[in-house]
Amino acid sequence: MRKWSMSVASVLCVLSAAAASGQTPPPTVDELVQIALERNRDLLAARERVAEAQGLLRRAGVRPSPTLDVDYGAGGPLGSPGTDELALRYAQPIELGGKRGKRQAIGLSGVAVAEAEFAARARQLVFDVKTRAAEARAAHAKSAALAEVVTAGREALRLTRARVAEGDAAALDGQLLAVEFARMEAQLATYRGRATAALADLRRIAGLDAAELPSVGPSPELSAAVSLALPDLTARALKMRADLRAASAVERQSAAELELARAEGVPDLTASATYTQDSDTTDGLFAVTSSGQPAPIVDNDKRISIGVSIPLFWRGRNRGNTDAAMARATGARLHREYLESAVPRDVEAAYARWTAARDTVSVFRQDVISQAEQNLVVMREAYTLGQLRLLDVLNERRRLIETRLAHIDAETELAQAAADLERAVGMDLP
């Protein structure tokens, strides 16, 4: 029997080479992460929200636009000819209380919130890709291990049935092998289905077509965390976690909204300048022009006036907006404090999970599989000599298969724990 590979990644390399001979090798996990960051539609939508926040910031800095009113009145249509009036009015709103600066502060915080949320979504996407890739690799590795056993079992069943037909083996041996072989085939079909489903889920997250991802290549193991103490990882998390940065940005934005709500209680002014011209023709009175012709006397009155418009309202009319903004600011502060207290616990739990998975894999890598294979060889020889029953050999082979699958599960748990640790810290740990 061939020696079982001690690494899930090496099994996948063999499978990929056999499945894609003469083709481009399957992408590694790091390459899949890069593809997902470029193609995932949800992440691209989050990036557009950053552009939206930048547009809102530009709009927040726009000053109120002035207005120009033009009025013309004529008395002719109502039976009063010669009575005309022209009025031009220019008005400029003037914001008081620093409202424009406070709107810009809200816009700046909004951009920071959108950028931090985009970074948090990207970090979550990296975690999703790595965990799904680990599941896909595990399903493929289990399928490969079971396929090897099923191939050997098919040959053993054929030989045993031939021996039973010749009277060299009991009929019960053939029946036991047939049941065991059927069980292994059912288990192989299950893991093949899981592998197909895991790849489909991974394609969905990465934004790939079915033909673009026939299998998943290997990824480097997390090793840098070995030299990092838990306090160092916690300090990095408090500095790098995108969700914590987003919470801090939301807190600043809420504080700026509270300041704007208070400023809204200050009324704005509207300064205006008006030019008016009245033309009135005097009935029955005429003047003589230079040519000696009579002409009606027209009275033209022109004037310029300036004014200030001040809205009259009770200052407390804005109290509802102020109270709502104060509640949002308090909630944002409490959420930020909660995250700051939760981040160290997240890092501690992820680090404990990773160290436990690392220790488990280390135990499996200490010739556990090879020793189990040697035990099966010895039991087969003992069965050939008539010292053991076939049922004993089948049980031992079942234990070997379970050990192999447990080894794959341990490797998968290590990969997922490493991804969880990177998610908790908020950055890649090479």
Side-chain angles (χ1 to χ4, degrees):
M1 183 179 292
R2 291 188 300 173
K3 184 179 178 64
W4 170 255
S5 174
M6 301 300 295
S7 172
V8 177
S10 62
V11 173
L12 288 174
C13 287
V14 175
L15 289 176
S16 301
S21 58
Q23 300 179 1
T24 303
T28 64
V29 174
D30 293 338
E31 291 172 345
L32 282 175
V33 167
Q34 187 61 35
I35 293 173
L37 293 176
E38 295 174 356
R39 296 193 185 185
N40 184 269
R41 297 291 181 178
D42 191 28
L43 184 64
L44 296 178
R47 181 180 298 168
E48 292 302 317
R49 287 192 286 272
V50 175
E52 176 187 359
Q54 292 171 344
L56 294 176
L57 173 60
R58 288 191 293 270
R59 189 183 69 177
V62 175
R63 298 180 184 274
S65 301
T67 59
L68 177 64
D69 297 332
V70 180
D71 295 329
Y72 176 76
L78 299 178
S80 300
T83 303
D84 299 325
E85 180 180 359
L86 175 65
L88 303 176
R89 182 175 181 272
Y90 176 86
Q92 174 64 60
I94 302 175
E95 290 184 316
L96 301 180
K99 296 183 181 67
R100 177 172 174 269
K102 292 177 173 58
R103 287 198 307 269
Q104 289 178 313
I106 294 175
L108 285 172
S109 299
V111 173
V113 170
E115 291 176 344
E117 289 178 347
F118 171 75
R121 181 67 190 91
R123 188 72 260 169
Q124 181 64 34
L125 180 60
V126 172
F127 170 76
D128 292 341
V129 170
K130 290 186 176 181
T131 53
R132 299 299 197 285
E135 293 173 359
R137 290 199 310 270
H140 274 292
K142 289 181 178 181
S143 298
L146 290 172
E148 179 183 345
V149 174
V150 166
T151 301
R154 184 180 292 109
E155 180 64 19
L157 179 61
R158 186 186 65 80
L159 294 176
T160 301
R161 285 175 175 174
R163 292 178 59 193
V164 170
E166 295 177 359
D168 293 339
L172 180 61
D173 290 349
Q175 296 173 2
L176 290 175
L177 275 177
V179 172
E180 183 68 11
F181 178 71
R183 187 184 70 85
M184 295 305 302
E185 281 193 322
Q187 196 171 6
L188 175 59
T190 298
Y191 283 118
R192 283 177 174 171
R194 291 180 181 178
T196 302
L199 279 177
D201 195 25
L202 185 58
R203 293 189 195 100
R204 176 187 61 82
I205 294 175
L208 296 173
D209 296 330
E212 292 183 282
L213 187 62
S215 60
V216 182
S219 63
E221 292 185 0
L222 179 62
S223 59
V226 178
S227 60
L228 294 177
L230 182 59
D232 296 332
L233 294 174
T234 302
R236 289 190 180 191
L238 292 174
K239 181 179 179 181
M240 301 299 299
R241 281 277 291 260
D243 56 345
L244 187 56
R245 297 203 311 271
S248 299
V250 170
E251 183 181 12
R252 294 193 301 270
Q253 186 181 39
S254 300
E257 290 175 348
L258 176 59
E259 293 299 320
L260 178 61
R262 289 171 176 170
E264 292 291 344
V266 179
D268 297 333
L269 304 179
T270 301
S272 61
T274 305
Y275 167 79
T276 306
Q277 176 180 316
D278 294 332
S279 299
D280 189 7
T281 302
T282 304
D283 294 337
L285 297 179
F286 297 90
V288 180
T289 64
S290 58
S291 61
Q293 298 295 325
I297 298 176
V298 180
D299 184 14
N300 290 319
D301 293 331
K302 301 178 181 179
R303 65 180 181 272
I304 295 178
S305 60
I306 59 175
V308 176
S309 176
I310 304 175
L312 300 178
F313 61 83
W314 175 48
R315 189 180 182 86
R317 69 190 293 271
N318 199 46
R319 182 174 179 179
N321 291 335
T322 303
D323 292 345
M326 187 177 298
R328 286 195 300 269
T330 302
R333 176 180 57 81
L334 293 174
H335 180 64
R336 189 260 307 164
E337 292 175 351
Y338 164 76
L339 283 182
E340 287 183 344
S341 63
V343 164
R345 293 194 294 269
D346 289 346
V347 176
E348 182 180 2
Y351 188 75
R353 177 188 177 187
W354 179 79
T355 53
R358 180 194 58 184
D359 295 341
T360 302
V361 171
S362 177
V363 171
F364 274 104
R365 290 178 177 176
Q366 294 175 359
D367 296 333
V368 173
I369 303 297
S370 60
Q371 184 61 52
E373 290 178 345
Q374 293 176 9
N375 294 341
L376 180 60
V377 171
V378 172
M379 295 193 69
R380 281 178 173 173
E381 294 177 353
Y383 167 72
T384 303
L385 297 175
Q387 299 176 358
L388 292 176
R389 301 172 301 170
L390 178 61
L391 183 61
D392 298 328
V393 178
L394 294 178
N395 289 335
E396 184 62 26
R397 187 171 67 173
R398 186 176 302 163
R399 281 193 293 268
L400 173 60
I401 295 172
E402 291 174 353
T403 302
R404 289 181 174 181
L405 298 182
H407 177 211
I408 296 173
D409 288 336
E411 294 273 7
T412 304
E413 171 63 14
L414 178 60
Q416 293 182 336
D420 189 33
L421 181 59
E422 292 179 336
R423 181 196 59 79
V425 177
M427 60 179 296
D428 290 334
L429 298 174

